[in-house]
Every structure is written in structure tokens, then in C-alpha cells.
Amino acid sequence: MVKLILVLGDQLSPDIAALREADKDRDLVVMAEVAAEAEYVPHHPMKIAFLFTAMRKFAGELRAKGWQVAYTRLDDPENAGSIPGELLRRASETGAKAVIATEPGEFRLIGALRDTPLDMTLLPDDRFLCSHQEFARWAEGRKALRMEYFYREMRRKTGLLMDGDQPEGGKWNFDHDNRKPAKADLFRKGPPEARGDPVLDAVLDLIEARFPDNFGTCRPFPYQTDRAGALRALNHFVEHALPDFGAYQDAMLEGDPHLYHAVIALYLNAGLLGVMEICKKAEEAYRAGHAPLNSVEGFIRQIIGWREFMRGIYFLEGPDYTRRNALNHQRKLPAMYWGAQTRMNCMAQAIGQTRDLGYAHHIQRLMVTGNFALLAGINPAQVHEWYLAVYVDAYEWVEAPNVIGMSQFADGGIVGSKPYVSSGAYIDRMSDYCKSCAYKVKAKTGPDACPFNLLYWSFLIRHRDRFAGNPRMAQMYRTFDKMDETRRKTVLAEAEAFLDRMGQGATV
Ligand code: FAD
Ligand code: DLZ
Ligand code: SF4
């Protein structure tokens, strides 16, 4: 009897588990653009446009290979509005009783699929290197879960950058060669241009009409939307940017949103690229003498280390992870995150490019928008929803551990051993943002004082009980305690006044 084969918007890989299990001559592939997925957060229009275009093209590729595909567009009058609803509709049309699906990357959708009355088989998503069971075995009995040790296991498992059983170059991690500030360079090649086509144009019209109020612009649309384009983007990165990826991965420059970053997470997370093909291309570039080891090791670590580690944490910790709030932060996310004016140039830059591209690189996410939210005590659930909505590469399995764990310390220290907080000095060192800011990064108090400077100390003092005993933070507390008392009081009072003004909706 016919079975329904579910392929979700971020499962656009021809060898995805559900398709491998299916019988091309008997089964029906179900793909659907649905309101429930498009609206569970107010996604950036480019994110929805990217996925719907890539889904439509992928369905076309499957049909060309001989699959029967039932594809529902968002504006189809029969659209049931949700993935389970679409499965039930197709089941009643075909008489199918059973569904084969690849496990979704979000507990919400896993639960919704399990709740359908259909005979549901959820197969493990083996596009990842590390299964849930393998991660749980690795984590079991460890006092703390640290990415660095997990990463070494993944290096051994994949053989990437290995010299026998030793790491290439004698070390696992070459980060001490990285983290330089960058200079403006008009000849730096960004990602390859997008090529317009009728499928994309139709989707852009649909999204602009259906989601006119969502934060973010849709045109000009900068991304690739099929496997061939994603491969072009990967090759372009390896050729032009990978050699400098390591040295400048933490740098930030006004007007240069990508620097030497790959801008491939959206393709990888949607299934248009695979983990091993990306890493092998990077390794080949190193072995051919095209890219240095510090860059290639750093890049591969992000993918087989951080990315796999984050997914492991999400599934290990369970559905309540996104509601954690270890620091009891309760402030509302300020309107500047949704595009309202701010006098802080670093925030205006990171949020502005997020609006225009649905993209910011790691350090902008972590040390600008994330750092500010943490210092200001914003409710982590609201921060999580923002990140899940605004980035074209955002899916809960990867976004939540990055936000709730790494960025907001709301999991109490599962992902990181200390919070990622810094004063304005870090942003000044790694960027050119402070030069054209209304605040002065060198000012520690007074009307021009950089808000990051004020909030940094007030954060540390608010959470003294929790962090003073952390050996990696003790020095910061000693520095504060050495300030004269008037200065300490002024810093804390000005931080409070800043937060009050922000809470009342003033432009800060
Ligand atoms: P590059 O900087 O070129 O890195 C190469 C690849 O490494 C990325 O494409 C990505 O696949 C992987 N990678 C790097 N860092 C991480 C990481 N910390 N976790 C997982 N993968 C990583 N990444 C997402 O894919 N989706 C998200 O929703 C997401 N949300 C984030 C939220 C916060 C607060 C922070 C600090 C990081 C987040 N990241 C997320 C990780 C990282 O910022 C993005 O993967 C990266 O910016 C994507 O751009 P890129 O492809 O140019 O990456
Ligand atoms: C993100 C997203 C959006 C916006 N729309 C759809 C959709 O209409 N149909 C679909 O199958 N998938 C969509 N997705 C991706 C899902 O939300 C994603 O599969 C889950 O969040 C699990 O990662
Ligand atoms: Fe950001 Fe402070 Fe620098 Fe302004 S001075 S750009 S607020 S770090």
C-alpha cells in the first residue's frame, strides 16, 4: 500500500533517510508550504523566500528523477495550514495509512507528527555525524560537557586533518593564530551574486504580499536557492575567503557584513550541502597549499565541532531547554532589535545588516546583539525568539543552544563555563564601529559613556554570588573592587538609569 514520504523544508537532500526508505514506484512524497511553519515566529522574509524557493526547486528535481510528489503551495486553497494537516489530507486522498519521515530538528514538530493518528515512522536524521545515542554516551558521566573534547572525537571519527592518530600540525586547535582585526578592502570578494529566476520571483511576490509586516527586506535577494548554487557558494568561499577565515573570524567592519565568512549555514542547514563534502573541500585546500592550517582547522572545528555539539546539547537537554532562565532575566527585548533607532553604532550595524540580509556573523551575534541582551538582563525566551526569527540559517536545534546556552548563559553553564560578556573595549578592538558612534568607548561614566562599559559592571555585580568564585572571572571582580567607591557607585547608578530609560522606550 502507498506510503506518504514527508520531506520538510530543511530536509532538501536527495539521500535523506525518508527517501532512502521509500519505494519510488509506490510511494508519494509530501512537501508543503504551511502557515504553521511560516508563522511560529515572525521569520525574516528572506528566510521564508529562501526555503519556499528551494523547496519548489527540490520538488522539481525529485519529479525529474521519477518520484511522485504532492506539493502544496502556501496560497493553494486546499492548504490545510500545518504539516500534520497536510499529511492527513494526502492520506485521505490516497488511502495511505503510514508515513515515513526523517526526524525534524525541533521538538515542537516532532511532537506534532507523533500526535497524528497516522502510522508514523520517524527515522534518525543521519546527515549529522553524531547520533543522539552517540552524544548521550559521550556525555554520560562527564562533570562538564566541553566542545573541545567532543571535537577531538569527531576529528578521530571522520579522519579530517589527522596525521595517523595525531592531529595534523601537532595540535588540535590553532586559535591562538586567529582573531585579528580587519581593515577595509574594496577588493574583498563577498559571496557570489544570486541569479534571479521565475521560481524565485513568484515566491518573492507571494512573501511580500503575505508577510508585509515581518522584520526584514526581501529584495534584492542575495542567496542561492538550489544545490548547484549552494555548491557555487561553497567553491567561491574555499577559493576566495577560506585562506583568511581563521585570522579574521572575529573581526567586524562597517559596510562589510561577510568579511571572510562562508555564508553557507543556510544551505547546510536546509540540506543543500553536506557536512563531509564541505569539510573535505576545506581539507583539500589545505593539502594543496591553498589555505593555511589555522584557517582550515578553525573552519572545520565550527562544523564538526560546534555545530554537532550544539545539536547534541539540544536533544540531550529536552523540550524545556528554550524556557531556561538561570540568571532570572526579565527585561523586555527593546524595540531596537526590531529596527527602532539606537545611538549604539555596533547595535545599529549588526541589526541593520540583519534586516537587510537575514545574516550577521558569529561575533556580531555573540559579542554585539547577544552580549548587549545578556548585559541588559533581557528575558532569554524573547532573545531566543528573535534569533530564531531573524536569521536565514535559524532552526531551533542549532539556534537555541547558541542563544540560550552560549550567548545568554540561561542554561546555567551547560554550553559554556562562563558567560560571554565584554565591555566596549572588545568591540573597539575587533571592529571599526566605535569610531562613528554617538557614545565614546573610552568613556567609563558620564553622558557619553559607552553603554557596554556601564552594563558590564552592573551585570557582574548583579550576579556576583554566581560568578565571583569562577576562576576565569575572579580578575574582573578584583578590578571592580579596586575602583574607588564613588566611581563604583556612579557606574552602577548610571547603568540603572540607562536601563530605566531603555525600559521606558527612550532611544538609547
Ligand atoms: P562561518 O562563520 O563561515 O562558519 C562556518 C560554518 O560553521 C557555519 O556555516 C556553521 O554551519 C558552522 N558554525 C559556526 N559556528 C557555529 C555555532 N556556534 N553553532 C553551529 N554551527 C556553527 N548558526 C546556525 O546555523 N543557525 C543559527 O540559528 C545560529 N544562531 C546563532 C545565535 C547566536 C547567538 C550565536 C552566537 C551563533 C549562532 N549560530 C547559528 C552560529 C553561527 O553564528 C552561524 O552558524 C554563522 O554565523 C553562519 O554564518 P556562516 O555560514 O558565514 O558561518
Ligand atoms: C522554517 C520553515 C518555514 C518557514 N516554512 C516551512 C514550510 O512551510 N514547510 C516545511 O516543511 N518546513 C518549513 N520550515 C522548516 C521547518 O520549520 C523545520 O523543518 C522545523 O523547524 C524543524 O527544523
Ligand atoms: Fe558599541 Fe560602545 Fe563602540 Fe558605541 S562606543 S559602537 S556602543 S561598543
Side-chain angles (χ1 to χ4, degrees):
M1 187 186 241
V2 58
K3 291 185 180 179
L4 303 180
I5 311 300
L6 177 66
V7 176
L8 293 167
D10 54 353
Q11 297 180 342
L12 308 181
S13 316
D15 59 349
I16 190 99
L19 286 172
R20 291 205 313 271
E21 280 295 302
D23 181 340
K24 208 186 247 182
D25 299 324
R26 177 197 64 191
D27 296 336
L28 179 69
V29 175
V30 174
M31 296 181 70
E33 302 167 6
V34 291
E37 295 308 306
E39 292 170 3
Y40 61 82
V41 287
H43 299 286
H44 194 294
M46 271 175 191
K47 178 180 178 186
I48 313 178
F50 161 68
L51 265 196
F52 285 9
T53 310
M55 285 170 71
R56 289 181 186 193
K57 291 183 178 179
F58 185 75
E61 287 162 22
L62 288 181
R63 284 193 186 111
K65 288 182 189 154
W67 291 95
Q68 296 289 321
V69 183
Y71 191 97
T72 307
R73 294 182 178 204
L74 190 67
D75 52 0
D76 279 349
E78 312 282 283
N79 192 321
S82 69
I83 297 292
E86 278 295 296
L87 288 171
L88 288 171
R89 182 163 78 88
R90 298 300 184 186
S92 80
E93 281 169 9
T94 58
K97 304 251 177 298
V99 179
I100 304 180
T102 312
E103 184 187 70
E106 205 177 323
F107 288 114
R108 171 189 60 83
L109 199 48
I110 295 174
L113 290 185
R114 289 218 172 104
D115 287 346
T116 65
L118 297 161
D119 171 10
M120 182 70 59
T121 304
L122 287 186
L123 300 169
D125 189 345
D126 54 13
R127 293 175 299 173
F128 293 89
L129 296 175
C130 184
S131 69
H132 303 331
Q133 293 76 5
E134 190 182 348
F135 192 83
R137 270 198 307 277
W138 174 79
E140 199 176 350
R142 284 174 194 262
K143 243 171 59 197
L145 305 182
R146 292 295 160 251
M147 192 287 298
E148 193 60 38
Y149 298 109
F150 170 79
Y151 165 57
R152 293 177 192 180
E153 294 296 311
M154 293 298 109
R155 287 273 293 278
R156 290 192 189 97
K157 179 175 176 169
T158 57
L160 287 163
L161 292 181
M162 294 299 292
D163 180 4
D165 60 357
Q166 292 303 307
E168 181 71 21
K171 280 192 309 185
W172 294 103
N173 181 318
F174 287 82
D175 253 358
H176 73 90
D177 299 340
N178 296 340
R179 318 225 150 121
K180 296 188 184 140
K183 289 207 174 66
D185 178 355
L186 288 176
F187 299 104
R188 193 159 30 235
K189 283 199 183 244
E193 304 267 300
R195 297 175 184 172
D197 64 65
V199 183
L200 174 62
D201 284 342
V203 171
L204 290 175
D205 290 343
L206 171 74
I207 302 305
E208 281 178 338
R210 182 77 182 253
F211 304 100
D213 299 326
N214 284 24
F215 172 72
T217 48
C218 221
R219 287 182 162 106
F221 185 84
Y223 299 112
Q224 312 297 321
T225 50
D226 56 15
R227 160 85 183 152
L231 264 181
R232 251 195 327 276
L234 171 62
N235 291 334
H236 185 94
F237 162 71
V238 171
E239 189 181 341
H240 298 292
L242 177 62
D244 289 309
F245 173 86
Y248 301 111
Q249 62 180 297
D250 289 5
M252 299 175 278
L253 281 184
E254 209 168 315
D256 193 340
H258 307 113
L259 283 150
Y260 298 100
H261 290 272
V263 199
I264 54 163
L266 77 164
Y267 310 124
L268 175 57
N269 295 349
L272 298 179
L273 294 174
V275 168
M276 284 308 284
E277 76 175 330
I278 295 173
C279 294
K280 280 184 177 158
K281 269 195 201 272
E283 181 172 22
E284 275 162 27
Y286 161 69
R287 303 229 179 258
H290 175 63
L293 187 53
N294 65 306
S295 281
V296 174
E297 184 283 312
F299 178 72
I300 287 178
R301 175 163 21 97
Q302 307 309 314
I303 294 181
I304 68 169
W306 278 114
R307 184 171 183 271
E308 297 280 334
F309 180 74
M310 290 309 200
R311 179 171 183 266
I313 297 279
Y314 178 76
F315 281 101
L316 189 71
E317 289 300 311
D320 82 321
Y321 188 73
T322 54
R323 294 190 293 276
R324 307 229 178 132
N325 190 357
L327 301 180
N328 191 24
H329 281 175
Q330 299 298 351
R331 255 174 240 280
K332 201 169 150 251
L333 189 76
M336 72 178 104
Y337 279 81
W338 298 110
Q341 239 198 323
T342 167
R343 299 174 68 225
M344 291 178 276
N345 191 39
C346 53
M347 292 290 281
Q349 293 299 323
I351 295 167
Q353 75 170 69
T354 300
R355 178 196 59 222
D356 296 341
L357 298 169
Y359 179 83
H361 72 64
H362 187 69
I363 291 302
Q364 295 172 307
R365 296 186 204 196
L366 186 64
M367 299 311 293
V368 179
T369 43
N371 186 16
F372 184 81
L374 178 57
L375 293 178
I378 309 296
N379 182 275
Q382 293 186 23
V383 183
H384 150 65
E385 285 206 0
W386 184 78
Y387 279 96
L388 187 56
V390 301
Y391 290 112
V392 283
D393 52 36
Y395 302 91
E396 195 172 280
W397 63 267
V398 54
E399 171 277 333
N402 269 295
V403 173
I404 296 291
M406 184 190 274
S407 166
Q408 299 302 299
F409 205 81
D411 66 2
I414 294 170
V415 166
S417 56
K418 78 185 234 326
Y420 280 93
V421 283
S422 80
S423 66
Y426 174 86
I427 295 174
D428 191 31
R429 191 162 65 248
M430 297 314 302
S431 80
D432 62 356
Y433 295 153
C434 300
K435 285 187 198 132
S436 34
C437 184
Y439 295 104
K440 292 199 169 46
V441 71
K442 300 270 189 275
K444 312 286 186 219
T445 55
D448 291 339
C450 164
F452 285 81
N453 292 344
L454 298 172
L455 296 179
Y456 177 71
W457 293 120
S458 82
F459 170 86
L460 288 178
I461 297 313
R462 276 201 315 275
H463 296 297
R464 186 167 203 145
D465 288 350
R466 181 181 283 268
F467 295 127
N470 183 326
R472 295 173 64 202
M473 298 178 74
Q475 179 55 41
M476 303 170 189
Y477 285 97
R478 278 197 292 274
T479 306
F480 183 79
D481 292 340
K482 274 193 216 142
M483 289 179 196
D484 75 63
E485 198 188 338
T486 324
R487 174 139 176 240
R488 274 185 275 153
K489 281 190 175 150
T490 310
V491 167
L492 298 182
E494 288 187 6
E496 272 318 297
F498 174 89
L499 290 174
D500 285 349
R501 284 201 308 282
M502 187 176 83
Q504 285 152 17
T507 297
V508 290

